[in-house]
Amino acid sequence: MKRSILLFPAALMFSALTFAGGNTLPKPTKRYFAMSPYVTAEDYMAKTVIIKVKPEFKQNCQPNAIINFSSLDFTFQNIGASDLQKMFPMVKSPDREYNNMGLKLVDLTTVYTLKYTSGQSVEEMVNMLYSLGMFEFVQPYYIPKTTFTPNDPQYQSAIFGTTRMDAVTGWNTQQGNTNVVIGITDTGTDLNHQDLTNQIKYNTADPINGSDDDGDGYVDNYRGWDVGMNDNDPTWQANNHGVHVSGCAAAQTNNSVGVSSTGFNCKFLPVKIADASGALVAAYQGITYAADHGCAIINCSWGGTGGGPMEQLVIDYVTINKDALVVAAAGNNNLDQMFYPSSLNYVISVAATNNSSDVKASFSNYNYSVDVSAPGNNITSTLPGNTYGGMSGTSMASPVAAGACGIIQSQFMSYNALQVGEHLKATTDNIYSIPANGSYINKLGTGRIDLGNAMTMSNLKSVLYLSQVLTDNNDDIFITNDTVRLTGTFTNMLSSVSSATTATLATTSSDVQILDASYPIGALATLGTNPNSGDPFEIKILPSCPTNAIVPFTLTISDAPWSTVIYFNLTLNVDYINITVNDIKTTITSRGRIGYNADGQQQGLGFQYLDSNLMYESSMMLGSSNTKVSDMFRGGASMDVDNATLLRVYQVVPSQVSAFDVDGRFNDAVAPSPIGIQTHHKGWAWTTPGNTKYVIVEYVLKNTNSTAVSNLYCGIITDWDVMNYSLNKANQNTSLRLGYVYSTQTNGLYAGTKLLTTTAPFVHYAVDNIAGGGGGIDPTAGTPAFDTGEKYTVLSTQRAQAGTTGNGNDVMDCVSSGPFSIAPGDSVVVAFALLAGDNLTDLSNSASNAQVTYDGILTGSHLLALQNQLSVGAFPNPAGQELYLNVNIPENSQATLKMFNVIGQEVMVVADENLASGKHLFKVDTRNIPNGTYFIELTAGGEKVVQKVVISK
């Protein structure tokens, strides 16, 4: 339903929700919330998290809110789990997999709220529980906040724009069906208001008599429900916002009293989502209650600048499982921003306009995710005690639109929820010709709603693009020269479209080339579908594309003269690569970070073993003094960014050392006090028995200064979170040159870092990652916390153990080597193995095997065989506008490197020169070479090898 495609990243950050009638001011961030400038501890429930159990563990979830899993029991005991409750206790599991439109039904029965008493922060608890590997997501329990107050002292002077919306024409056709119910999820209503009391959808099957007569699990829910306080009285408390919103959508109309509403005769169901203080403690439970109790339309006049998996899951449930349409406010920050829940998939997002001019209201947000606009400035509606007053906000525009949706549903009772929303969008008035709206083109939705149009226009068209999938048919890490394929299902929601219907993909970016831009959708009857899985849109990422570029796209669907545009962004040319070939799944980045490319556990796999993520963050770290340390680890509230990419990390194809070889280069030129080191880093992972529980990383450190670098240490620092991180201990094995962290839980896992090179001493520092530092450095104190001096201490001094008290605590661990003295232009090599194991013996065996393997790479038969073998490797393959050739020369010799086409014609001479023994890298500009198949021929020392390559631009 969105006019933009919303694609969640692997890990999501969230921010606080506020009423759409108010503003949220920026606040300090916590470490976990690095992506949001809005969240503080005030914005979520203390010592409470939301979890969703993975489907494969559903059999462990009991009806009485018990998760029957022994290792989880131990974790819950140690965190002081005081209350585990199903978040949606009355919701049932779906009895089939898909709805009638082919959309996958949602299971909310494995979503829980968990309260705990231990000392961990909510941020720490989220990461610790997620690392256990049995939850789809773990997130804070956000509490929406209200900042709205009436802003119109002349209450009775305001109108709600009935003339502008041509409501009378619409009402002449349809005045609303009393069986169409609009759910008002808000702070409650005034049950006795003269313009509201007759509009409530009373549940006559459960009168107020102290019994659950209708057997729905709610006693006496005769006139709605207070989900926030779990009782049957949805009367407003502390904040009258919900009273006003109720009247905007469903005040009794044509009764010679008070105000009118767009919903006219449609009923409303009051669902109070606030506690006694007015805090919205049960916002999304309120949405599910409304859907479960027959609401066709659900209004949400609240929202915020963050949204995540739980929130989207609820919207999916009410839309797909319950066939209800959610309408929500676009927000009042006067910003071009996504706002939630309005920007979630399937929700109708409503911006606000001035009633008389159709100009965007000064406070209203605008964005490609907005679906429609509606009057929202100085809206007169119901207030407590049979009074009326004016309020402004997208909080008002949203229920005005929700009421209009009720009229559409009443007129077209066969419509499903998505069709109602699309009908509303298809019948708006274009407001972009108004000069004052010129800055908001396509960001106020399809236009301002028009109830007259909605009732009189025919042959309306709407084709959605649902269930989108992006892939590169490889690792789905979209980098230079990859071809990204976009597939989905085109679904016709309204009148039939002709055989000429097409979809066209476009972009304004010069960093990508669209190879397949069009798809012939063809004729579709109402609710007809056509998936493009057999003919995907294809996007080639060009060499000019910056790393981590956010590239905008439009998808235009047209059946002339009708057309619609879908907007979406893709993050392309990412500068990291995932290694998943053995028992360890991790990520190597282009700038020395390991596990995650971005702060807050973003862009990466972490360090996964046995379905558990054992790592919070990790980075290679260099230091030559208390004032010169270069790393990509945290320094204060966020990640230090001291390294710059020289050659983005890439997979070496074919692999020359292991089952999965990676290579890249970076330097520390962007550090505040650069050391002047250029790092050539490599990574290897094996699949052979005994070698599947580690990944090796090697760093070749080159001094780029004109003077020597002395007292240099090179290490890997890791914040290991092994299972329950608060039960971790760190220790060392000096004979193995191994630092490791383990969980004290029963059957606790182990993880560690081993120094492989012997050119300088083994250094190990175990860090107590707690206030006070447990007698060592304190990484939690100071400004910034964990500063350069502390990092150099960790790199250059010894501390054998951490977490020594009781069952342990949160720990970090650093394994390094040094000191080195490097002359100008010279290099040293430092290598490490990152390992995991079931127990200490298992970890130690892998550490020993890693040493044998690495020694073989350096001096053994494996490397000697490679060194004595003439070879050429090409990457990427297929190539786009550039091709890299990895050449290995076994001995000093004259070498010739040429490219030939398939009929044997010479295309170019890449190199013809004396080459020293060893590896060499050549870059080939292929921009002027036609697409096709070619052969790279390498001749040296009387031998010849050939490598096949494909050019596909």
Side-chain angles (χ1 to χ4, degrees):
M1 173 161 292
K2 302 314 297 170
R3 297 173 64 249
S4 62
I5 298 175
L6 177 62
L7 301 172
F8 282 117
L12 287 149
M13 301 297 103
F14 310 91
S15 71
L17 299 177
T18 63
F19 267 135
N23 298 315
T24 303
L25 298 176
K27 298 177 180 178
T29 61
K30 296 286 188 178
R31 185 182 74 181
Y32 177 75
F33 306 103
M35 289 185 67
S36 170
Y38 301 105
V39 172
T40 72
E42 298 175 355
D43 298 322
Y44 49 80
M45 196 174 291
K47 294 188 179 299
T48 307
V49 293
I50 298 172
I51 59 178
K52 186 177 193 301
V53 177
K54 288 181 176 178
E56 56 264 37
F57 298 115
K58 183 177 179 180
Q59 69 273 14
N60 300 94
C61 300
Q62 304 301 311
N64 55 353
I66 293 175
I67 304 176
N68 189 14
F69 201 79
S70 57
S71 63
L72 191 61
D73 290 342
F74 184 80
T75 297
F76 281 179
Q77 290 173 14
N78 281 278
I79 65 174
S82 61
D83 190 22
L84 179 70
Q85 297 289 338
K86 288 199 170 189
M87 191 167 186
F88 308 100
M90 302 301 177
V91 170
K92 303 295 189 292
S93 294
D95 56 5
R96 53 194 176 116
E97 191 172 1
Y98 297 95
N99 73 355
N100 294 334
M101 290 181 60
L103 297 174
K104 189 175 179 62
L105 295 168
V106 174
D107 187 359
L108 291 179
T109 62
T110 56
V111 180
Y112 296 83
T113 60
L114 172 66
K115 296 181 181 295
Y116 63 93
T117 60
S118 59
Q120 293 99 324
S121 68
V122 167
E123 301 95 316
E124 292 169 332
M125 187 60 65
V126 164
N127 292 295
M128 184 274 288
L129 290 174
Y130 187 73
S131 71
L132 297 178
M134 67 176 299
F135 302 117
E136 284 188 36
F137 61 76
V138 184
Q139 69 173 70
Y141 190 126
Y142 289 94
I143 305 172
K145 290 194 175 81
T146 65
T147 57
F148 187 92
T149 54
N151 68 351
D152 185 359
Q154 303 297 320
Y155 287 163
Q156 300 301 332
S157 67
I159 59 172
F160 80 91
T162 53
T163 301
R164 182 65 62 172
M165 293 187 301
D166 198 12
V168 173
T169 298
W171 291 333
N172 283 335
T173 300
Q174 176 60 250
Q175 294 182 354
N177 188 319
T178 57
N179 291 316
V180 173
V181 183
I182 303 168
I184 303 297
T185 63
D186 219 290
T187 59
T189 195
D190 183 348
L191 298 171
N192 299 310
H193 196 289
Q194 60 187 353
D195 249 350
L196 297 176
T197 188
N198 295 329
Q199 296 298 99
I200 296 172
K201 184 64 174 181
Y202 294 101
N203 179 16
T204 56
D206 194 2
I208 301 176
N209 59 8
S211 299
D212 181 13
D213 298 280
D214 59 359
D216 67 348
Y218 299 90
V219 176
D220 295 349
N221 56 335
Y222 172 66
R223 50 189 183 183
W225 193 257
D226 183 347
V227 184
M229 300 180 69
N230 196 32
D231 60 49
N232 72 334
D233 185 5
T235 300
W236 74 280
Q237 291 175 274
N239 190 328
N240 62 20
H241 184 272
V243 182
H244 197 276
V245 169
S246 299
C248 291
Q252 187 171 359
T253 302
N254 199 33
N255 64 343
S256 302
V257 173
V259 295
S260 56
S261 69
T262 46
F264 212 102
N265 287 327
C266 294
K267 299 295 186 179
F268 80 99
L269 185 70
V271 182
K272 181 171 173 282
I273 58 176
D275 63 15
S277 70
L280 306 187
V281 296
Y284 287 86
Q285 295 95 319
I287 295 176
T288 61
Y289 179 91
D292 289 341
H293 288 82
C295 294
I297 317 295
I298 302 171
N299 183 75
C300 303
S301 286
W302 42 268
T305 52
M310 188 280 290
E311 289 80 357
Q312 183 63 66
L313 200 69
V314 168
I315 300 302
D316 291 349
Y317 170 79
V318 302
T319 307
I320 299 171
N321 295 38
K322 309 303 292 187
D323 194 26
L325 177 68
V326 178
V327 181
N332 290 352
N333 300 324
N334 189 29
L335 293 174
D336 184 352
Q337 65 177 191
M338 304 283 273
F339 202 73
Y340 302 96
S342 71
S343 291
L344 294 171
N345 291 331
Y346 305 128
V347 179
I348 289 291
S349 175
V350 187
T353 54
N354 288 321
N355 308 340
S356 59
S357 66
D358 278 341
V359 172
K360 184 192 82 72
S362 60
F363 50 79
S364 179
N365 283 351
Y366 50 96
N367 187 262
Y368 286 132
S369 64
V370 171
D371 290 297
V372 297
S373 296
N377 192 45
N378 292 336
I379 304 298
T380 296
S381 183
T382 49
L383 287 174
N386 288 329
T387 64
Y388 302 88
M391 293 186 181
S392 295
T394 54
S395 274
M396 285 63 251
S398 180
V400 168
C405 289
I407 296 295
I408 294 170
Q409 182 74 85
S410 299
Q411 182 69 9
F412 303 95
M413 292 298 290
S414 63
Y415 272 0
N416 64 34
L418 296 180
Q419 288 177 296
V420 171
E422 292 306 299
H423 189 110
L424 181 76
K425 290 162 57 178
T427 55
T428 57
D429 286 333
N430 186 342
I431 58 175
Y432 293 117
S433 60
I434 300 171
N437 288 334
S439 300
Y440 314 111
I441 299 298
N442 295 324
K443 295 183 179 182
L444 298 175
T446 58
R448 191 252 308 118
I449 63 173
D450 188 307
L451 202 55
N453 288 346
M455 292 299 101
T456 59
M457 293 178 66
S458 59
N459 195 31
L460 303 176
K461 296 184 179 182
S462 169
V463 177
L464 300 181
Y465 192 46
L466 303 175
S467 305
Q468 302 90 3
V469 175
L470 290 162
T471 182
D472 62 2
N473 290 346
N474 186 13
D475 58 4
D476 292 337
I477 301 295
F478 306 140
I479 63 173
T480 296
N481 292 320
D482 273 354
T483 297
V484 181
R485 295 163 179 85
L486 172 62
T487 60
T489 299
F490 293 99
T491 303
N492 182 31
M493 302 307 299
L494 300 177
S495 299
S496 61
V497 294
S498 75
S499 59
T501 305
T502 59
T504 304
L505 186 68
T507 182
T508 57
S509 172
S510 60
D511 296 320
V512 298
Q513 177 185 2
I514 299 179
L515 303 179
D516 190 341
S518 63
Y519 180 73
I521 298 173
L524 290 177
T526 303
L527 297 182
T529 62
N530 185 347
N532 73 317
S533 53
D535 183 12
F537 299 104
E538 295 185 345
I539 305 160
K540 185 68 172 282
I541 306 173
L542 301 178
S544 63
C545 187
T547 57
N548 303 310
I550 299 176
V551 179
F553 291 90
T554 59
L555 182 63
T556 301
I557 302 173
S558 176
D559 182 17
W562 169 85
S563 67
T564 188
V565 181
I566 297 170
Y567 300 85
F568 64 98
N569 297 327
L570 296 182
T571 300
L572 302 176
N573 202 22
V574 296
D575 56 347
Y576 59 92
I577 192 166
N578 294 335
I579 299 177
T580 61
V581 296
N582 62 20
D583 294 339
I584 302 297
K585 295 177 175 60
T586 192
T587 298
I588 303 296
T589 75
S590 295
R591 297 180 292 170
R593 261 206 149 203
I594 300 168
Y596 298 103
N597 190 49
D599 208 355
Q601 295 186 302
Q602 301 296 293
Q603 301 176 4
L605 302 176
F607 193 83
Q608 299 178 30
Y609 174 68
L610 296 181
D611 293 322
S612 288
N613 181 22
L614 309 182
M615 173 190 290
Y616 181 82
E617 66 173 317
S618 182
S619 175
M620 177 263 214
M621 183 183 292
L622 295 173
S624 61
S625 72
N626 285 329
T627 59
K628 283 194 173 185
V629 173
S630 298
D631 67 278
M632 299 290 291
F633 201 74
R634 84 186 66 141
S638 60
M639 175 180 76
D640 281 351
V641 181
D642 295 338
N643 296 332
T645 303
L646 298 178
L647 175 64
R648 186 181 54 220
V649 67
Y650 65 93
Q651 181 184 0
V652 178
V653 180
S655 293
Q656 300 181 4
V657 175
S658 70
F660 195 97
D661 296 4
V662 298
D663 198 293
R665 289 180 175 85
F666 60 86
N667 64 22
D668 68 340
V670 297
S673 297
I675 303 170
I677 298 295
Q678 177 179 298
T679 301
H680 181 187
H681 62 124
K682 304 176 184 180
W684 300 297
W686 288 263
T687 57
T688 53
N691 301 303
T692 62
K693 297 183 179 182
Y694 63 82
V695 172
I696 289 178
V697 288
E698 180 187 81
Y699 303 105
V700 181
L701 311 175
K702 181 179 180 180
N703 179 10
T704 60
N705 299 285
S706 59
T707 58
V709 172
S710 58
N711 295 318
L712 180 70
Y713 289 83
C714 173
I716 292 179
I717 183 166
T718 305
D719 184 350
W720 294 110
D721 284 350
V722 181
M723 302 171 72
N724 183 342
Y725 68 89
S726 65
L727 300 174
N728 282 182
K729 291 178 178 285
N731 211 331
Q732 65 182 18
N733 183 322
T734 55
S735 62
L736 287 175
R737 302 194 299 279
L738 169 68
Y740 61 93
V741 172
Y742 62 98
S743 171
T744 61
Q745 296 175 242
T746 303
N747 299 319
L749 299 177
Y750 281 66
T753 306
K754 171 180 167 50
L755 175 66
L756 295 167
T757 45
T758 58
T759 50
F762 163 73
V763 182
H764 171 251
Y765 195 104
V767 181
D768 283 288
N769 191 23
I770 57 176
I777 66 106
D778 183 355
T780 69
T783 307
F786 203 29
D787 61 21
T788 300
E790 291 170 327
K791 289 181 177 180
Y792 190 68
T793 297
V794 166
L795 273 172
S796 60
T797 60
Q798 303 278 359
R799 189 169 189 253
Q801 297 177 323
T804 56
T805 302
N807 289 323
N809 49 250
D810 191 9
V811 301
M812 301 191 298
D813 203 61
C814 182
V815 171
S816 62
S817 186
F820 296 99
S821 181
I822 311 177
D826 280 355
S827 301
V828 297
V829 178
V830 187
F832 305 89
L834 294 155
L835 316 102
D838 300 339
N839 48 56
L840 184 55
T841 300
D842 191 29
L843 190 78
S844 300
N845 288 339
S846 288
S848 298
N849 292 344
Q851 188 69 63
V852 171
T853 300
Y854 185 71
D855 291 344
I857 293 173
L858 292 177
T859 60
S861 58
H862 189 169
L863 181 64
L864 291 175
L866 288 172
Q867 290 176 334
N868 291 326
Q869 178 180 336
L870 184 71
S871 66
V872 59
F875 71 93
N877 193 5
Q881 299 192 11
E882 59 185 24
L883 171 71
Y884 290 91
L885 301 175
N886 264 321
V887 171
N888 187 71
I889 305 295
E891 58 185 19
N892 297 348
S893 63
Q894 179 72 23
T896 304
L897 192 61
K898 295 182 178 181
M899 177 184 286
F900 296 88
N901 62 22
V902 291
I903 61 175
Q905 295 173 324
E906 182 180 298
V907 177
M908 70 163 59
V909 177
V910 179
D912 187 7
E913 57 188 290
N914 283 312
L915 294 179
S917 63
K919 297 178 182 178
H920 304 268
L921 182 66
F922 294 91
K923 179 180 177 180
V924 182
D925 186 344
T926 58
R927 286 177 294 181
N928 296 322
I929 298 176
N931 289 348
T933 301
Y934 297 86
F935 297 93
I936 304 297
E937 180 186 272
L938 172 64
T939 305
E943 296 184 62
K944 180 187 297 184
V945 293
V946 176
Q947 170 70 47
K948 178 181 176 181
V949 299
V950 175
I951 307 297
S952 177
K953 296 187 284 292

